[in-house]
Amino acid sequence: MKRKFQAMFLAITMLFSVPSVSFADVAEGDVIVTLGEDLTEQQKNEMLAELAAPENAQIITVSNKEEHDYLGESIPKAQIGSIAISSASITIGAKDSGLEVQTNNITWVTDEMYTNALTTAGVKDATIQIAAPFSVTGTAALTGIMKAYETTTNEEIPEEIKKVANEEMVKTAQLGDSIGADNAAALMGKVKDEIAKNEPQTEADLRALIKQVATELGITLTDADLDMLVDFFNKLKAMDIDWNQVKEQLSVTTEKISTFLQSEDGQSFLQKMQDFLNRLLDEIRVLFA
């Protein structure tokens, strides 16, 4: 339970830990929808209804070729498939409102995994919905989201950043298969937090940092997992990411969480958590009575 709560808390934290992107002339409330190119007309209508797309929403399409361009180095081509069906909507939020991700019919990539990958791509301050007409892994959706965000904000996301964001999403999902999706997302997010605060200077420092974060979260990593994470974060550190902006966003996150916990909804959440823990302790006492 302790590890589950830590993962939940860190996932919430990462919702707001994002690099800065200029919004040009984009306005709060603007909506853009991305649809998979191979959806049937009926499926397109279903997706527009599922995403609650307004009549004036801008719509763009994403091709299977684009999905392969950004995922081809991370997962087998057969896993990407030969059709583009994943769809999404992005609603621009107020400055410093953070990211909110919701999914439907996505079976492998979690909301928090998308959020972490989007922070790497520099996406911020938006509500994002991701859906498909039937159950899919969700690996292809990130390509459409980034394309839609570029169109909305008139800001280009560098190609290497798009690829590393997709790689992060896939590696987190793969790691989740062995340590749990919540733990994997929390670990990736927390390591990025720590890099933003004090970037490790050597590979040994980075390895020690990852091991420390895993220990704090109660996560056991295999040697292969650790090597994979070191390689990935070394690559991430070499990218043109504004870590100072990440660090600045952390202060916003802390304030938002503190405000939430002091609110009526936050107090209700804490009370429910306390009630659950009390029931759990009572059950444990009965077992050992």
Side-chain angles (χ1 to χ4, degrees), residues 11 57 85 88 95 109 119 127 135 212 226 237 269 279:
I85 57 172
K95 185 178 183 299
V109 182
T119 66
T127 298
S135 295
Q212 177 186 334
L226 184 57
K237 283 166 71 275
F269 168 78
R279 290 195 301 272

Side-chain angles (χ1 to χ4, degrees), residues 3 108 113 170-185 187-188 218-226 228-229:
R3 275 187 274 175
W108 194 44
M113 292 177 192
V170 171
K171 288 189 180 301
T172 308
Q174 291 171 338
L175 186 61
D177 289 339
S178 59
I179 67 173
D182 287 338
N183 282 341
L187 177 66
M188 298 295 279
I219 296 171
T220 300
L221 296 173
T222 65
D223 290 341
D225 288 339
L226 184 57
M228 178 274 290
L229 290 168

Side-chain angles (χ1 to χ4, degrees), residues 74 113 116-120 163-173 188-189 192 232-233 236:
S74 300
M113 292 177 192
N116 276 342
L118 288 167
T119 66
T120 295
K163 288 184 178 181
V164 81
N166 274 286
E167 181 180 352
E168 177 179 351
M169 174 189 64
V170 171
K171 288 189 180 301
T172 308
M188 298 295 279
K192 285 203 290 188
F232 172 74
F233 281 108
L236 193 63

